[in-house]
Amino acid sequence: MFDPLLEESPWVQEKVAEGKAKGLAEGKLESMRGVILKIIQNRFPALSAAAEKRVEGMKQIKALDTLVDQLMQASNESEARVALKLPLGV
């Protein structure tokens, strides 16, 4: 068991809260990346490998959310390529 003084410490509670928040944010990033890759695999499979590399480096939830919207609205592979910012031939 932990020492009750340690458990009640504001500093310890703050660090625990920071760890939880960081874990939740990382989980959301991974989830958003998974959604994007699933959209690509189902709608534009030729872009799967390039999309995986592109999405892997994305670290902002807002940017990933915007990308989901753009991919859902893309009517063809060219529009998906533009949303992913992939050059032609990739």
Side-chain angles (χ1 to χ4, degrees):
M1 286 230 170
F2 290 104
D3 183 354
L5 290 176
L6 199 60
E7 290 178 6
E8 295 171 10
S9 166
W11 183 84
V12 170
Q13 290 177 358
E14 180 182 335
K15 293 300 175 188
V16 168
E18 287 174 5
K20 286 180 182 178
K22 185 177 179 181
L24 288 172
E26 285 294 320
K28 187 165 184 174
L29 281 173
E30 285 302 312
S31 178
M32 298 284 292
R33 289 178 185 131
V35 167
I36 290 167
L37 294 176
K38 188 163 189 103
I39 292 168
I40 293 295
Q41 289 167 354
N42 285 310
R43 296 191 66 209
F44 313 107
L47 299 178
S48 291
E52 189 170 341
K53 290 177 186 175
R54 170 77 174 106
V55 171
E56 188 178 286
M58 295 178 75
K59 306 274 188 221
Q60 295 182 348
I61 291 172
K62 186 174 181 172
L64 290 165
D65 190 49
T66 299
L67 182 54
V68 168
D69 291 339
Q70 291 172 338
L71 291 172
M72 294 295 290
Q73 294 173 10
S75 59
N76 56 49
E77 189 176 298
S78 294
E79 289 179 7
R81 184 181 301 282
V82 169
L84 288 163
K85 298 178 181 160
L86 295 174
L88 291 174
V90 174

